[in-house]
Amino acid sequence: MVENASRTNLSCRRDYDIEEDSIVGVPLKSDSECYDDDGRVKRTGTVWTTSSHIITGVVGSGVLSLAWAIAQMGWIAGPVVMLLFSIVTLYTSSFLADCYRTGDPKFGKRNYTFMDAVSTILGGYNVTFCGIVQYLNLFGSAIGYTIAASLSMMAIKRSGCIQSSDGENPCHISSNPYMIGFGAMQLFFSQIPDFHNIWWLSIVAAVMSFTYSIIGLVLGIAKIAETGTFKGSLTGISIGTVTEAQKVWGVFQALGNIAFAYSYSFVLLEIQDTIRSPPSEVKTMKKAAKLSIGVTTIFYMLCGCVGYAAFGDSAPGNLLTGFGFHKLYWLTDIANAAIVIHLVGAYQVYAQPLFAFVEKEAAKRWPKIDKEFKISVPGLRPYNQNIFVLVWRTVFVIITTVISMLLPFFNDVLGVIGALGFWPLTVYFPVEMYILQKRIPKWSRRWICLELLSVVCLIVTIVAGLGSVVGMVENASRTNLRRHQDFGMEPHSIDGVHPQTDSKFFDDDGHVKRTGTIWTTSSHIITAVVGSGVLSLAWAMAQMGWVAGPAVMIFFSVVTLYTTSLLADCYRCGDPVSGKRNYTFMEAVQSILGGYYDTFCGIVQYSNLYGTAIGYTIAASISMMAIKRSNCFHSSGGKNPCHISSNPYMIGFGIIQIVFSQIPDFHKTWWLSIVAAIMSFAYSTIGLALGIAKVAETGTFKGSLTGVRIGTVTEAQKVWGVFQGLGDVAFAYSYSQILIEIQDTIKSPPSEAKTMKKAAKISIGVTTTFYMLCGFMGYAAFGDTAPGNLLTGFGFYNPYWLIDIANAAIVIHLVGAYQVYAQPLFAFVEKWAAQRWPTVDMEHKIQFPGFHPYNLSPFRLVWRTVFVIITTIIAMLIPFFNDILGLLGALGFWPLTVFFPVQMSIKQKRIQKWSGRWIGMQILSVVCLVVSAAAAIGSVASIVIDLQKYKPFHVDY
């Protein structure tokens, strides 16, 4: 994937950022400030942009078949084969990187494409052979992506159909409309003029590929946690379940699927052609290849191994669309939507080089064929339309769509494509070019080893191709093409329950029947726990060091998990299955403890919720400013400091919240919660990946055992920093105050407490792992200078576009997280107002064309709008991200996470005073009180210091 921005010095662009290029290597300019040695506009690609392009090329729909591939080979051969493919790919990528320049590695003639390198270095029949293989592979990838996209769209449709019919409708669906729909989208995107203009599509595709991969990984982990077992066997599917021949063909096809997952070599030189120098393009490419293939291999191993551990030998060929996770239909729908978005971009990544080749050859043969017509669209720049391009690309898309409809076999097509491309493009040509380029003597030890590698990979490719072709033939012989999309699934009930009684609409308390499961509960908890607090963990680690930092994080996670278990038992008073429900944290305190506890809890809980809304407003505005400042800084070539006021961004965020705050109640925000959860994992993953990348680049783990040293800071600053670090970690785990509200969404049976405890283990386990990784890698990357807000602190100044994506994900997440915390406060005030003034909750029905009627409450509109305005004003008055996070964490952790759950559990379970359990619980409460007090003092001290140099409503970033 070649990014225009990564080739062009912005200060040397013409109007509209159109790049001035050389024709067939003829220099246009010799100004070394704006042009490279070949006369092209100066390239600006770095190890970061190069890594992102490689990851986009490597991580794709192939990841979906890895669990199935491991199931064919088992726990021994499966991971070993994946490692071998990654090592071979990395090794030959290094060879190919050396072929970018012919002769001198720094000043030799550039080869802009894979074909150019083969033509220059090998020549002769190799060029024809390379062209046939490369472009057949590109064409096959377009077919494979059409099939994969249609399967994902069908899975979304079928999922919705099955859920709406309560599993009674088998929902047979034809793939043809979805393939045609995907083809129609590609007709539009195929009119993008060339490879350089689709960089934005590449970025979107890369983010989507990580999104669905993470969802698949998380779902696999959740399923393992649910069943408590690692499935699978050492040798994979056993003979008996399948015949010996099927076992052999399955293993061979699995080799092809893994090969497909690593197919990107044929676009490597195009990617390398975006890299600036010095240092040499070869050096940068080799570093980027190590980094990106290392990251993707870890990803592949996790996704493949976790998928196999979850499903064992019955792992589906396409993990998400195989309905292995059918209960999580909403989450698999999101993942499948991400797959479709990714494949829209991936199709173009692989089709554009083929388009360029055909159009270049046609222009040589018929010079007038590339004549263009200018089309003016009101409000947009003029568009140059070439009739031949329009017709040829349209025909290409139609042909790939028709072939996909004829051979709609996902796994088999992936195996054929992987087998077809792996040996010639990933091994043979790089090895032959390297031998010739480096003048390695024939029959020398090195020559023999390289040729042996090539022969072994040729054998692997042949058997993989055979296995995939056999699988395709077998599928074609037993499949009615008009009805091949049944997925082989049987009708099922949702959770095995067929609602047939009058009680199916209402629970025991008369409320509309709750439908929450362990999965929706986990998503709510993850949304609440994984938030902007993750951004300050590297800084918190820097205050405490490698010894105390991890210990503190583990301490907070264990305490939170323990007290969550205590709090889950407080949802019902008396009998845990049929006792009276407590709908909120406040109601639980009131029912179980009563008295002054009720008032104290109300003040603390709602102050914390209110403060969290303020903190999220600050965090969102900082991320929006970071995006603006990043783009400003790069567009000016680093000459403009780009000071930006936070006020417009806080106001903008407030306006968004005024709209979303009109969502009536907590139950209506489930979709916002799911989106927010995905975004939180997206920016956390980006931060983690960048931390790993920086550690890999420097080759060192920074930091010290005790954190920031006295001398760098004063003793007092060290103490306040450690205390504030405690508050930041506490904030990262603050969600107990809304746990009862989340628990009130859970269906029963099984009991709500049982489901909540299981969901808490899954979600806190996942988030703690994430927190440890993000905090550790951030600290390892930056050491004691780790910024307070990892992404917006410009610690990761490059790649700026990836930081922009992460910051955009933060903003989207905080839009949802704001509502998760604000809705309980809204509900409390509105309930109180309705009790005091019964007519205040009167609603007016408003009809919007095409939508359900909306019930507008004037009081709700005014009160929630005033709430958002006040939080926005306070955020503008005290815009200190780290300080506010620390203070909120300190104020909320002890009373809401520890004190009230402990006291309610003692009263509920009738634990004897001065018994061993009572003493242990009270000691825990006292220790956490001391920690909270220290954290609050540290955060207040930091706010006071910051206020001394701050003017109200005036902050520049």
Side-chain angles (χ1 to χ4, degrees):
M1 173 62 56
V2 185
E3 190 175 330
N4 206 25
S6 67
R7 295 187 56 188
T8 307
N9 185 319
L10 294 175
S11 63
C12 300
R13 287 186 177 184
R14 292 181 173 182
D15 295 339
Y16 307 122
D17 289 357
I18 296 175
E19 163 180 307
E20 186 175 2
D21 211 349
S22 62
I23 308 299
V24 195
V26 179
L28 295 173
K29 298 283 184 181
S30 58
D31 183 357
S32 62
E33 289 184 1
C34 296
Y35 296 90
D36 276 327
D37 55 4
D38 61 344
R40 296 195 175 192
V41 176
K42 206 164 190 69
R43 297 158 176 85
T44 58
T46 64
V47 68
W48 307 109
T49 58
T50 307
S51 298
S52 74
H53 290 324
I54 295 174
I55 289 170
T56 303
V58 178
V59 177
S61 59
V63 72
L64 303 176
S65 67
L66 292 178
W68 178 88
I70 294 180
Q72 309 309 304
M73 295 181 281
W75 278 119
I76 297 176
V80 169
V81 167
M82 288 179 68
L83 282 174
L84 287 176
F85 272 95
S86 67
I87 291 168
V88 169
T89 303
L90 180 60
Y91 190 53
T92 56
S93 293
S94 175
F95 293 165
L96 200 54
D98 288 322
C99 299
Y100 174 63
R101 288 184 182 267
T102 306
D104 191 283
K106 291 184 178 180
F107 307 106
K109 177 183 174 293
R110 298 174 188 257
N111 296 307
Y112 301 110
T113 66
F114 191 100
M115 278 285 286
D116 283 350
V118 173
S119 178
T120 303
I121 300 171
L122 298 177
Y125 72 90
N126 286 291
V127 179
T128 306
F129 177 42
C130 175
I132 293 171
V133 173
Q134 183 180 6
Y135 294 121
L136 275 177
N137 197 274
L138 293 171
F139 185 76
S141 296
I143 296 169
Y145 287 161
T146 302
I147 298 169
S150 71
L151 288 175
S152 291
M153 289 188 280
M154 289 159 56
I156 295 171
K157 175 65 176 176
R158 189 167 190 268
S159 168
C161 171
I162 289 176
Q163 302 301 325
S164 63
S165 67
D166 290 336
E168 295 174 0
N169 186 350
C171 301
H172 297 298
I173 301 169
S174 170
S175 67
N176 293 344
Y178 298 94
M179 289 189 183
I180 293 170
F182 185 78
M185 281 191 283
Q186 293 304 333
L187 288 177
F188 173 78
F189 283 106
S190 292
Q191 300 310 312
I192 296 172
D194 59 45
F195 201 59
H196 303 282
N197 290 326
I198 61 172
W199 63 270
W200 57 273
L201 203 58
S202 174
I203 293 172
V204 172
V207 173
M208 290 300 104
S209 65
F210 272 109
T211 299
Y212 64 71
S213 300
I214 289 170
I215 290 175
L217 175 60
V218 171
L219 290 174
I221 293 171
K223 189 169 180 66
I224 293 168
E226 183 183 22
T227 60
T229 58
F230 273 71
K231 297 183 179 180
S233 60
L234 294 180
T235 56
I237 295 175
S238 58
I239 295 172
T241 309
V242 295
T243 65
E244 289 183 359
Q246 287 174 326
K247 172 70 175 178
V248 172
W249 298 132
V251 170
F252 287 176
Q253 186 181 337
L255 292 173
N257 286 6
I258 296 174
F260 180 84
Y262 282 100
S263 61
Y264 87 105
S265 295
F266 47 89
V267 294
L268 186 138
L269 290 183
E270 284 88 337
I271 293 172
Q272 194 166 344
D273 190 41
T274 69
I275 300 173
R276 70 183 178 197
S277 61
S280 72
E281 302 89 350
V282 175
K283 187 176 180 181
T284 302
M285 173 54 79
K286 289 181 179 180
K287 189 179 291 185
K290 290 178 184 175
L291 182 62
S292 52
I293 293 177
V295 169
T296 51
T297 298
I298 292 170
F299 228 81
Y300 280 178
M301 293 287 280
L302 284 172
C303 292
C305 293
V306 168
Y308 184 43
F311 296 106
D313 294 342
S314 61
N318 185 335
L319 196 60
L320 292 170
T321 60
F323 260 64
F325 297 115
H326 68 271
K327 291 184 181 180
L328 283 169
Y329 69 94
W330 50 267
L331 192 54
T332 52
D333 286 355
I334 292 171
N336 280 313
I339 290 171
V340 175
I341 296 170
H342 169 249
L343 294 178
V344 168
Y347 184 107
Q348 289 301 314
V349 169
Y350 285 85
Q352 286 284 343
L354 183 52
F355 292 160
F357 170 75
V358 171
E359 287 153 20
K360 182 180 177 182
E361 293 300 315
K364 288 179 182 177
R365 191 173 183 86
W366 303 288
K368 294 182 180 180
I369 205 169
D370 59 352
K371 184 179 179 183
E372 294 181 336
F373 301 88
K374 187 170 286 187
I375 300 173
S376 296
V377 181
L380 300 175
R381 300 176 194 167
Y383 176 72
N384 295 322
Q385 180 63 65
N386 180 288
I387 300 300
F388 172 74
V389 168
L390 175 63
V391 173
W392 140 242
R393 296 190 180 190
T394 300
V395 169
F396 174 90
V397 173
I398 292 172
I399 293 173
T400 57
T401 304
V402 170
I403 294 175
S404 300
M405 294 164 69
L406 286 171
L407 300 169
F409 311 121
F410 176 74
N411 254 42
D412 305 325
V413 170
L414 253 58
V416 169
I417 296 168
L420 179 66
F422 184 73
W423 173 71
L425 300 176
T426 303
V427 182
Y428 173 75
F429 285 116
V431 164
E432 295 302 317
M433 288 191 289
Y434 184 79
I435 288 172
L436 202 60
Q437 181 101 320
K438 298 294 183 179
R439 298 176 182 175
I440 297 172
K442 207 169 186 179
W443 302 110
S444 65
R445 182 182 299 174
R446 194 173 185 189
W447 183 91
I448 293 171
C449 290
L450 289 170
E451 293 295 354
L452 278 175
L453 171 67
S454 183
V455 170
V456 169
C457 290
L458 171 60
I459 295 169
V460 170
T461 291
I462 291 170
V463 297
L466 282 174
S468 300
V469 170
V470 168
M472 194 179 296
V473 170
E474 287 181 349
N475 279 332
S477 66
R478 66 171 180 255
T479 305
N480 182 331
L481 290 178
R482 282 182 251 173
R483 298 189 61 191
H484 67 269
Q485 291 78 14
D486 290 349
F487 291 100
M489 293 179 289
E490 300 177 358
H492 62 276
S493 63
I494 306 306
D495 290 338
V497 178
H498 286 285
Q500 297 171 339
T501 65
D502 293 335
S503 64
K504 70 178 181 179
F505 296 114
F506 299 96
D507 275 327
D508 56 0
D509 59 345
H511 280 220
V512 175
K513 203 164 189 70
R514 296 159 176 85
T515 58
T517 65
I518 187 175
W519 310 112
T520 57
T521 306
S522 297
S523 76
H524 281 314
I525 295 174
I526 290 170
T527 302
V529 178
V530 177
S532 56
V534 72
L535 304 175
S536 66
L537 291 179
W539 180 88
M541 283 281 298
Q543 308 309 305
M544 295 180 276
W546 281 116
V547 177
V552 165
M553 288 179 69
I554 293 172
F555 168 78
F556 274 97
S557 67
V558 171
V559 169
T560 302
L561 182 59
Y562 176 67
T563 57
T564 295
S565 176
L566 301 181
L567 196 55
D569 290 326
C570 300
Y571 175 64
R572 288 184 183 265
C573 294
D575 190 277
V577 175
S578 57
K580 176 184 172 291
R581 297 173 188 259
N582 296 307
Y583 300 109
T584 66
F585 191 97
M586 276 282 287
E587 285 188 18
V589 173
Q590 191 175 32
S591 300
I592 299 171
L593 298 177
Y596 70 90
Y597 288 106
D598 185 18
T599 307
F600 176 46
C601 174
I603 293 170
V604 173
Q605 182 184 9
Y606 294 120
S607 295
N608 195 271
L609 291 172
Y610 192 77
T612 302
I614 295 168
Y616 284 168
T617 302
I618 297 169
S621 70
I622 290 174
S623 290
M624 288 188 280
M625 289 192 300
I627 295 171
K628 176 66 176 175
R629 189 168 186 262
S630 169
N631 294 331
C632 166
F633 200 80
H634 284 86
S635 64
S636 68
K639 297 176 182 178
N640 185 351
C642 300
H643 295 300
I644 299 170
S645 172
S646 64
N647 292 343
Y649 299 95
M650 290 190 186
I651 293 169
F653 185 77
I655 291 170
I656 295 170
Q657 290 304 331
I658 288 173
V659 174
F660 281 104
S661 292
Q662 300 313 310
I663 296 172
D665 57 45
F666 197 65
H667 300 279
K668 305 284 192 199
T669 63
W670 64 268
W671 59 272
L672 200 60
S673 177
I674 292 167
V675 171
I678 291 171
M679 291 299 105
S680 65
F681 272 109
Y683 67 72
S684 300
T685 301
I686 291 173
L688 172 61
L690 290 172
I692 293 170
K694 191 165 180 70
V695 171
E697 182 185 24
T698 60
T700 57
F701 274 72
K702 297 184 179 179
S704 60
L705 293 180
T706 56
V708 177
R709 293 177 178 81
I710 295 172
T712 309
V713 296
T714 64
E715 289 185 10
Q717 287 174 326
K718 173 68 176 178
V719 172
W720 300 137
V722 170
F723 286 176
Q724 188 181 336
L726 292 173
D728 284 356
V729 177
F731 179 82
Y733 282 99
S734 63
Y735 84 101
S736 295
Q737 65 266 39
I738 59 169
L739 185 138
I740 298 290
E741 283 89 337
I742 293 174
Q743 193 166 344
D744 190 43
T745 67
I746 299 174
K747 68 182 179 184
S748 62
S751 72
E752 299 87 358
K754 186 176 181 181
T755 302
M756 173 55 78
K757 289 176 182 179
K758 192 177 289 185
K761 288 177 183 177
I762 292 171
S763 51
I764 293 178
V766 169
T767 53
T768 298
T769 302
F770 238 96
Y771 280 178
M772 298 282 274
L773 287 171
C774 293
F776 291 179
M777 294 313 302
Y779 185 42
F782 297 107
D784 295 342
T785 60
N789 185 335
L790 195 60
L791 291 170
T792 59
F794 263 65
F796 295 117
Y797 176 79
N798 276 311
Y800 72 95
W801 56 265
L802 189 57
I803 303 170
D804 287 353
I805 291 171
N807 280 311
I810 290 172
V811 175
I812 295 170
H813 169 251
L814 293 179
V815 168
Y818 185 107
Q819 288 302 313
V820 169
Y821 280 85
Q823 286 285 342
L825 183 52
F826 293 159
F828 169 76
V829 171
E830 287 157 18
K831 182 180 177 182
W832 172 82
Q835 290 173 347
R836 190 173 181 87
W837 303 288
T839 59
V840 82
D841 61 350
M842 186 173 63
E843 295 182 334
H844 303 278
K845 187 169 287 188
I846 299 176
Q847 182 68 54
F848 293 100
F851 294 91
H852 293 295
Y854 176 74
N855 295 321
L856 176 65
S857 165
F859 174 73
R860 185 172 66 223
L861 176 64
V862 173
W863 137 244
R864 296 189 180 191
T865 301
V866 170
F867 172 90
V868 174
I869 291 171
I870 294 173
T871 57
T872 305
I873 291 172
I874 294 175
M876 292 163 67
L877 277 170
I878 312 174
F880 311 126
F881 176 75
N882 252 43
D883 306 340
I884 294 295
L885 253 58
L887 184 59
L888 290 172
L891 291 177
F893 183 73
W894 174 70
L896 300 176
T897 303
V898 182
F899 176 72
F900 285 116
V902 163
Q903 295 304 320
M904 287 192 289
S905 182
I906 289 173
K907 184 85 175 281
Q908 182 103 318
K909 300 291 177 67
R910 298 177 181 176
I911 298 172
Q912 292 295 319
K913 204 170 187 179
W914 302 111
S915 65
R917 191 175 180 189
W918 185 91
I919 293 171
M921 294 173 79
Q922 295 293 0
I923 289 173
L924 171 67
S925 183
V926 171
V927 170
C928 291
L929 171 61
V930 173
V931 170
S932 286
I937 292 169
S939 299
V940 170
S942 295
I943 290 174
V944 170
I945 293 169
D946 287 338
L947 284 172
Q948 292 174 355
K949 52 189 177 183
Y950 167 72
K951 296 179 182 177
F953 298 107
H954 185 274
V955 59
D956 285 337
Y957 181 74

